[in-house]
Amino acid sequence: MPHNALIQMASLGNGNSLTFPQQTLISFTKPIESFFMSKIIRALDAIISSFILLTIGVMIFFAIAHSGYAVLDLWKHVHDQEFSLELMYLVTSSLVFVKAYRILAAYLINQHIQIKLLVKIAIIASTMDVIFNMRHNDIWQNIIMAVFALAILVIYSVFGNKLDEYEK
């Protein structure tokens, strides 16, 4: 059969075949393509959901270990003047872990991240870094983190209601 006849035969039929001057590509029909794509999408979704579930488990483990270490460290500072600072660090770090857990759990359940929770955790974590790591960070790092926390706080105060409307 001549080459042009093969191209004509391939182009006849259900219209799902693609023809090129030098070769003919035969594609699957639409129901078969969607069947394979839905299987691939479901498998990838299961892999990503498993990864998020594993991340939640690891985060809970580290939150418990971190809280245990912080309580032991807090016990050492019971009679020091750093007790209140250590207690505030324990409370804020626990709050960051809870917010991170809520973000991951919400994504696992709804496949949607709540922007408001993400903004709250950004404010808390950056403020926590400035307050509790001030002695360990460079002065410019502290300034950048403080400006970042303040900017997000101002944005959240101005546009907090808009975020509620956006998420609905």
Side-chain angles (χ1 to χ4, degrees), residues 26-152:
I26 300 174
S27 64
F28 293 111
T29 59
K30 296 294 179 193
I32 293 174
E33 285 178 5
S34 64
F35 174 75
F36 285 123
M37 288 306 289
S38 67
K39 290 282 189 183
I40 291 170
I41 297 284
R42 273 189 256 142
L44 289 174
D45 191 37
I47 289 170
I48 290 173
S49 295
S50 299
F51 175 73
I52 291 172
L53 193 59
L54 178 69
T55 304
I56 288 173
V58 168
M59 189 193 69
I60 289 172
F61 171 75
F62 279 117
I64 291 170
H66 179 267
S67 296
Y69 174 75
V71 166
L72 288 176
D73 194 37
L74 184 65
W75 187 255
K76 290 190 303 188
H77 295 286
V78 168
H79 300 294
D80 292 349
Q81 64 192 85
E82 291 185 13
F83 179 74
S84 59
L85 187 66
E86 292 292 325
L87 183 62
M88 286 180 4
Y89 177 71
L90 176 64
V91 169
T92 54
S93 61
S94 299
L95 190 61
V96 167
F97 280 123
V98 168
K99 293 286 186 189
Y101 167 77
R102 287 189 59 201
I103 289 170
L104 289 171
Y107 180 76
L108 189 63
I109 293 169
N110 301 327
Q111 304 293 321
H112 174 73
I113 295 178
Q114 295 178 351
I115 297 172
K116 203 167 188 178
L117 283 176
L118 208 56
V119 170
K120 286 178 184 179
I121 199 170
I123 293 168
I124 294 167
S126 57
T127 305
M128 190 174 113
D129 189 53
V130 169
I131 292 171
F132 298 111
N133 292 330
M134 188 176 294
R135 290 175 270 168
H136 305 292
N137 290 342
D138 186 38
I139 186 70
W140 290 107
Q141 264 183 312
N142 288 330
I143 291 171
I144 290 171
M145 290 301 284
V147 168
F148 178 73
L150 190 61
I152 290 180

